[in-house]
């Protein structure tokens, strides 16, 4: 089922997600809902807190092409970044940060440890865009957003702009 994606400044996006302890049907269903929501958006990845579920679940869109009929998802449960090397700076956006994108610095290469939805432990290396998406989604599980990584000047400008957007919408609704 496609879920509503929570947007900043919703406080649920700031909560540290709880580790998953049971690898059951409920977990599989959450992942399925997250995948449908991510492909519908569409997005490069999605973290469970973005749909209001405070659990350490992140998914990455690994489809080869955007319009690929065989959509592929990598689900990471209780993931951690074991190490990071090098750096990359690129434009980043987020389904939870409306009408904004900014340049963000990330590790170029990371080593990741996680559980599969079946409860098996995996370790792998990721680099470039793939590594960027994983770092972005794992931040969500810590209650962090990419706008925390930009200058306070840029962040404050965005907050002002967002306030205006929300105000305009509220006015439209009350008309
Ligand atoms: Zn995001």
């Amino acid at each position: 089922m496609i879920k509503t994606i929570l947007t900043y400044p919703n406080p649920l996006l700031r909560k540290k997600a709880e580790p998953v302890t049971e690898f059951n049907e409920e977990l599989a269903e959450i992942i399925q809902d997250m995948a449908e929501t991510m492909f519908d958006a569409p997005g490069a990845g999605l973290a469970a807190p973005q749909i209001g579920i405070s659990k350490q679940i992140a998914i990455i869109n690994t489809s080869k092409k955007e319009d690929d009929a065989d959509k592929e998802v990598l689900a990471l449960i209780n993931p951690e970044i074991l190490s990071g090397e090098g750096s990359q700076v690129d434009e980043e956006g987020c389904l939870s940060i409306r009408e904004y994108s900014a340049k963000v610095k990330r590790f170029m290469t990371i080593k990741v440890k996680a559980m599969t939805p079946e409860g098996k432990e995996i370790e792998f290396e990721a680099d470039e865009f793939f590594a960027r998406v994983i770092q972005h989604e794992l931040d969500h599980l810590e209650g962090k957003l990419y706008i925390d990584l930009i200058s306070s000047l840029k962040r404050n400008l965005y907050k002002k702009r967002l306030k205006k957007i929300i105000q305009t919408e509220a006015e439209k609704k009350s008309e």
Side-chain angles (χ1 to χ4, degrees), residues 45-47 50 92-97 136-137 140 144-146:
L46 193 75
Q50 292 182 276
E92 217 164 291
C94 176
L95 297 172
S96 294
I97 313 274
H136 177 115
E137 300 312 330
H140 275 299
K144 287 187 221 153
L145 299 168
Y146 84 86

Side-chain angles (χ1 to χ4, degrees), residues 1 10 16 33 59 70 80 90 102 112 117-118 126 136 146:
M1 210 198 312
N10 191 311
K16 193 174 159 47
D33 286 347
I59 60 166
D70 311 309
E80 342 167 18
D90 211 342
V112 182
E118 293 77 32
H136 177 115
Y146 84 86

Side-chain angles (χ1 to χ4, degrees), residues 144-161:
K144 287 187 221 153
L145 299 168
Y146 84 86
I147 50 169
D148 303 341
L149 302 173
I150 63 176
S151 73
S152 55
L153 177 72
K154 280 189 190 166
R155 189 164 50 245
N156 286 332
L157 283 172
Y158 172 65
K159 281 184 187 170
K160 273 186 197 158
R161 208 170 90 199

Side-chain angles (χ1 to χ4, degrees), residues 14-51:
R14 290 308 196 177
K15 257 179 81 178
K16 193 174 159 47
E18 298 290 329
V20 171
T21 51
E22 286 185 66
F23 296 81
N24 53 17
E25 189 57 33
E26 192 195 332
L27 175 64
E29 270 171 39
I30 294 171
I31 293 167
Q32 180 63 33
D33 286 347
M34 286 173 65
E36 285 176 33
T37 307
M38 175 182 72
F39 288 124
D40 178 67
L46 193 75
Q50 292 182 276
I51 57 164

